[in-house]
Amino acid sequence: MADSNGSQEEDMAFAVQHPELTLTQVADQLDVPKGYRVEIIGDQIIVSAPPFGRHARIVRELYRALLDIRPGEFGPVEMVTLSPPHLDQRSIPDPVVLPEHVITDDEWVFPVSAALLAVEVTSPGNADNDRVRKLRGYALAGVPLYLFIDIVEETVTLFEEPHGQGYDRHTRVAIGSRVKLPEPFSVTLDTTAFAARKSNAG
């Protein structure tokens, strides 16, 4: 998050100490500002500010690219919640590619197992969640592809072939390089637009 001076803050994370309520019930009762994300990762509820700056720019560029390269029966969506059945877990990728038939106007929580590609753009406040906890969750749900853009380490990693709590294959390149997305995309994604931009301020 950013404070009034524009500095980066950590995401807010807290464990729930009310055994009579589920994490989902507590998350649904939280009163957070518009645009904030409420996720349930492991045994914590994570509240994050909307993406801004470079994070927001990368999400925008990714969404545009995915519109062009998506398989015909799939579509990219932003700010939707994914959840496994019967578990108090929720994630909000930025963005995610889902089958068009599951994207309905009256739903806001979608089965994580339906995702073809989940994308996370990290920041200093959520790096461990994206690198470890979300990777584990997407793998356990069988999400075929997990694209992880790390703007802390300046890398792009594509994880493939989910198996247990991880992925059997991964390809890591420096931001600015190209990464090949396998079938059903069968295209090469250019990450040049994800590179940092220097401020023009004097």
Side-chain angles (χ1 to χ4, degrees):
M1 296 182 189
D3 61 19
S4 58
N5 295 317
S7 61
Q8 186 77 23
E9 294 182 357
E10 298 286 329
D11 292 343
M12 293 182 292
F14 53 93
V16 177
Q17 304 298 327
H18 299 281
E20 70 277 9
L21 297 178
T22 66
L23 289 173
T24 299
Q25 289 171 329
V26 174
D28 288 342
Q29 294 176 15
L30 291 179
D31 184 16
V32 300
K34 184 177 180 180
Y36 275 60
R37 303 182 186 199
V38 179
E39 299 178 289
I40 304 172
I41 309 297
D43 61 353
Q44 292 184 326
I45 295 176
I46 311 292
V47 179
S48 308
F52 66 97
R54 185 182 177 191
H55 187 156
R57 176 169 59 81
I58 291 175
V59 172
R60 180 194 66 198
E61 296 294 340
L62 266 171
Y63 184 81
R64 289 175 175 174
L66 290 171
L67 279 174
D68 291 336
I69 66 177
R70 61 177 174 156
E73 67 273 24
F74 293 89
V77 286
E78 297 180 89
M79 292 300 293
V80 298
T81 300
L82 301 180
S83 180
H86 314 302
L87 289 177
D88 273 350
Q89 298 291 301
R90 288 180 178 176
S91 62
I92 303 176
D94 42 17
V96 61
V97 178
L98 292 170
E100 290 284 2
H101 73 269
V102 308
I103 306 172
T104 59
D105 294 343
D106 55 349
E107 294 290 342
W108 64 277
V109 178
F110 299 92
V112 64
S113 58
L116 171 64
L117 168 69
V119 181
E120 298 288 354
V121 181
T122 197
S123 60
N126 68 9
D128 285 344
N129 282 330
D130 295 338
R131 291 182 187 132
V132 180
R133 299 180 184 91
K134 286 192 175 182
L135 184 150
R136 183 185 301 127
Y138 292 139
L140 285 170
V143 176
L145 301 170
Y146 174 41
L147 186 65
F148 174 48
I149 296 120
D150 191 332
I151 60 177
V152 178
E153 296 188 352
E154 297 292 331
T155 58
V156 177
T157 306
L158 176 67
F159 294 91
E160 306 174 60
E161 300 178 9
H163 181 256
Q165 298 187 39
Y167 285 81
D168 285 344
R169 295 183 57 191
H170 74 273
T171 303
R172 180 177 290 111
V173 301
I175 287 179
S177 304
R178 295 173 178 267
V179 60
K180 184 176 180 179
L181 300 181
E183 294 182 354
F185 293 94
S186 300
V187 296
T188 299
L189 178 66
D190 185 356
T191 69
T192 302
F194 305 164
R197 295 177 181 173
K198 294 182 178 180
S199 172
N200 293 323

